[in-house]
Amino acid sequence: MSDLTATVNQTKNGFHVEGYEKISYDFTFLDGVFNPENPQLAECYKRWGRVLAVTDLNVYNVYGKQIEKYFEHHGIDLKVHKTKIGEKAKTIPTFLSIVDSMTEFGIYRKEPVLVVGGGLVTDVAGFACAAYRRNTNFIRVPTTVIGLIDASVSIKVAVNYGNYKNRLGAYHAPMHTFLDFTFLRTLPTAQIRNGFAELIKISTCSHLDTFNLLDQYCEQLIETGFGRTDGAPKEVREAADKINKEGIHEMLKLETPNLHEIGLDRVIAYGHTWSPMHELVPETPLRHGHAISIDMAYSATLANDRKLISDEEHRRILNLFSRAGLSMDHPQFDEDILDKGTAAILKTRDGKLRAAVPNPIGSCTFINDIDVSELNDALRRHKELMKEYPRNGEGLEAYVDASDTGYTDNNKHEVQALEKAAEEAGSLNGNGHIHGGKVVNGESNGTNGIKKKMANGSVKGLTNGVNGYTNGAKA
């Protein structure tokens, strides 16, 4: 949540406005958030006597009955919007389907939406809340390792557009985030591995003690769902709890002074220099953790070339990725993608590369003074090194599948309809970006023309939800 304090002063030629926004939100570690004996979440909705929950379909299939019984026990009416969100379904049509459910529910200005799911769900639903009446509250209950460790920490919410990750979004803090690691009991191993990459990210560049624990317990952490499965050794559970809490705390310490990313040298951007480009390149996209692992492994090779990390440290990082079954290379991670990724990130980072690399493990430096030849030389050396590793450095279960709801159901027709409407409303340049300015049927920039198409249903799926789903029910 946020509050704004501002002043207005008259100047010689007009007025000067100066404001300061206070952002406050809480994290609560709570095993069994939907256990009726734990009233903490229900108390957030007592005032309203009802709740609109946006949740991942896979999560609902496993925990739906438990969620329903929880709110029934506490006398709170529950309405559920079940959605299918994958990286290729992290789109405006999916976003609009959530907005439709908020409208149908009749959400009040300060009434919080409950968002239950992984990082993709919290990203898109959070963006819907940011956009709805420009500021609607929400509460997060993340259910995956990435959701718990990474997405829950940030206040960034977004959708993808075209082939660009998180191109449309906002900074919108939740009221509260409940961190329940018992969800990892039922999380597929591929998803545990996927989230493991985020912990390598933060520890390699900022927290040596956590890196050492990941290195010590790597295989056991993945096999036991971070110590949450039945029969997991107590030692592993204790190590996992320490890793998770310290990882989240470290992320918060790095993120909170820079919530709106005004500062562009970001330690937690390790692994996010070239991955935003190559993650979506394959027809079946890479899982996010694998995409950033390729970026991190290559960045480690680059750091080693520059003597920022020793040969021993370099191998230690690569060996940890390999032991975890995470990707360190991909056939389509080539010089062309490297060049395109560099060009794209320079725009995002205001003309500088700002590539975060370890220097040494547990600390970070940023590379800016580099040219194409050095990048390509490092890539060629990296690919030679990958021949020494299983599968030539490719990861296990690296590509999305049915456990990633919405990945194979990617709203292709809805996205194409939306882009067609935008093209008719304005004009598109060669990269598919709207540059507008054209008057269509007397409508400035074509904005009202798009609204008319949405209103009369000619843009399929925009007003009635994604693939005909509204509030989780088939239309």
Side-chain angles (χ1 to χ4, degrees):
M1 295 182 65
S2 62
D3 293 298
L4 184 67
T5 301
T7 58
V8 180
N9 295 305
Q10 192 166 359
T11 64
K12 182 180 179 180
N13 298 313
F15 302 95
H16 174 72
V17 177
E18 189 167 315
Y20 300 91
E21 184 179 24
K22 176 186 177 182
I23 300 174
S24 62
Y25 53 106
D26 296 305
F27 293 82
T28 298
F29 288 91
L30 179 63
D31 280 3
V33 64
F34 292 116
N35 183 333
E37 295 180 4
N38 293 327
Q40 293 92 325
L41 177 60
E43 287 170 356
C44 298
Y45 292 94
K46 283 293 185 183
R47 170 188 170 187
W48 309 100
R50 64 175 194 165
V51 55
L52 171 63
V54 178
T55 187
D56 177 277
L57 182 60
N58 279 344
V59 172
Y60 188 81
N61 288 341
V62 177
Y63 294 101
K65 295 299 181 184
Q66 184 178 344
I67 295 171
E68 291 169 0
K69 289 179 180 178
Y70 176 82
F71 285 109
E72 182 181 359
H73 175 83
H74 290 283
I76 295 171
D77 293 334
L78 171 67
K79 183 77 171 182
V80 180
H81 175 103
K82 297 185 284 288
T83 188
K84 299 179 178 181
I85 299 178
E87 203 63 66
K88 286 199 173 182
K90 188 180 174 182
T91 59
I92 290 177
T94 306
F95 157 88
L96 288 174
S97 74
I98 297 171
V99 169
D100 285 342
S101 288
M102 294 169 71
T103 298
E104 182 180 322
F105 187 75
I107 201 85
Y108 284 89
R109 186 66 178 255
K110 298 295 183 181
E111 185 178 10
V113 174
L114 176 62
V115 182
V116 184
L120 293 167
V121 176
T122 58
D123 269 5
V124 180
F127 186 36
C129 292
Y132 200 84
R133 294 196 183 95
R134 302 184 185 90
N135 187 3
T136 296
N137 289 329
F138 72 113
I139 292 172
R140 289 188 296 209
V141 179
T143 60
T144 64
V145 180
I146 286 182
L148 288 158
I149 298 296
D150 184 66
S152 70
V153 173
S154 172
I155 67 169
K156 296 181 294 183
V157 292
V159 295
N160 299 336
Y161 186 71
N163 287 325
Y164 296 95
K165 281 178 60 64
N166 301 323
R167 183 50 58 99
L168 305 175
Y171 298 98
H172 186 53
M175 292 175 61
H176 206 118
T177 299
F178 288 94
L179 301 170
D180 181 357
F181 283 87
T182 64
F183 285 115
L184 302 187
R185 290 171 56 87
T186 57
L187 195 66
T189 301
Q191 295 289 0
I192 299 289
R193 182 181 293 113
N194 191 33
F196 195 89
E198 295 287 355
L199 287 163
I200 295 179
K201 175 191 76 175
I202 191 62
S203 62
T204 302
C205 276
S206 189
H207 207 271
L208 180 59
D209 289 346
T210 297
F211 186 92
N212 289 337
L213 286 172
L214 293 174
D215 198 14
Q216 182 178 352
Y217 294 101
C218 172
E219 293 84 354
Q220 291 171 284
L221 290 167
I222 293 171
E223 291 167 1
T224 65
F226 279 79
R228 295 292 175 168
T229 58
D230 292 337
K234 181 182 177 182
E235 179 184 356
V236 176
R237 167 69 179 272
E238 290 175 349
D241 287 349
K242 184 175 183 180
I243 288 167
N244 292 330
K245 288 185 179 180
E246 291 189 356
I248 291 171
H249 191 202
E250 190 67 22
M251 289 273 283
L252 283 169
K253 286 190 292 183
L254 291 168
E255 279 287 87
T256 49
N258 192 31
L259 285 174
H260 290 85
E261 295 185 349
I262 295 171
L264 298 178
D265 289 340
R266 301 173 61 241
V267 173
I268 64 171
Y270 176 48
H272 291 72
T273 299
W274 297 280
S275 63
M277 176 61 66
H278 73 247
E279 181 170 345
L280 300 181
V281 168
E283 182 64 26
T284 300
L286 288 163
R287 288 191 163 103
H288 179 68
H290 287 266
I292 67 170
S293 292
I294 293 170
D295 189 317
M296 286 189 280
Y298 166 71
S299 296
T301 298
L302 192 62
N304 178 242
D305 281 349
R306 289 198 161 200
K307 308 302 181 186
L308 299 175
I309 56 174
S310 66
D311 291 346
E312 181 183 355
E313 288 178 305
H314 183 211
R315 285 293 184 173
R316 191 180 179 201
I317 293 170
L318 297 183
N319 290 342
L320 181 57
F321 283 120
S322 183
R323 289 168 54 206
L326 286 163
S327 299
M328 295 186 287
D329 194 20
H330 183 273
Q332 288 176 283
F333 185 56
D334 54 22
E335 291 183 7
D336 179 56
I337 289 299
L338 193 65
D339 182 60
K340 289 178 180 177
T342 300
I345 205 66
L346 286 171
K347 294 177 182 178
T348 299
R349 295 177 180 170
D350 204 28
K352 290 186 177 181
L353 187 63
R354 307 177 196 271
V357 297
N359 178 26
I361 294 176
S363 60
C364 179
T365 195
F366 300 92
I367 294 177
N368 290 308
D369 58 329
I370 194 165
D371 58 26
V372 173
S373 62
E374 185 178 353
L375 290 172
N376 289 341
D377 286 346
L379 181 62
R380 285 190 286 271
R381 179 184 174 226
H382 184 71
K383 287 185 176 292
E384 283 298 313
L385 288 170
M386 290 303 99
K387 294 177 182 179
E388 302 175 22
Y389 288 89
R391 303 171 303 280
N392 291 320
E394 292 190 49
L396 298 172
E397 301 174 293
Y399 300 93
V400 299
D401 60 23
S403 70
D404 307 85
T405 303
Y407 273 116
T408 55
D409 186 7
N410 63 16
N411 300 330
K412 183 176 181 180
H413 298 299
E414 288 88 346
V415 172
Q416 289 175 342
L418 181 68
E419 291 175 348
K420 186 170 185 280
E423 186 172 8
E424 292 174 1
S427 57
L428 297 174
N429 66 24
N431 292 324
H433 299 308
I434 300 170
H435 52 76
K438 186 175 180 181
V439 177
V440 179
N441 296 328
E443 317 268 8
S444 175
N445 290 320
T447 303
N448 292 328
I450 293 176
K451 289 180 179 177
K452 287 179 180 177
K453 285 183 176 290
M454 290 167 61
N456 66 26
S458 63
V459 180
K460 202 175 290 184
L462 294 186
T463 55
N464 292 317
V466 176
N467 299 326
Y469 282 86
T470 304
N471 294 322
K474 186 73 174 174

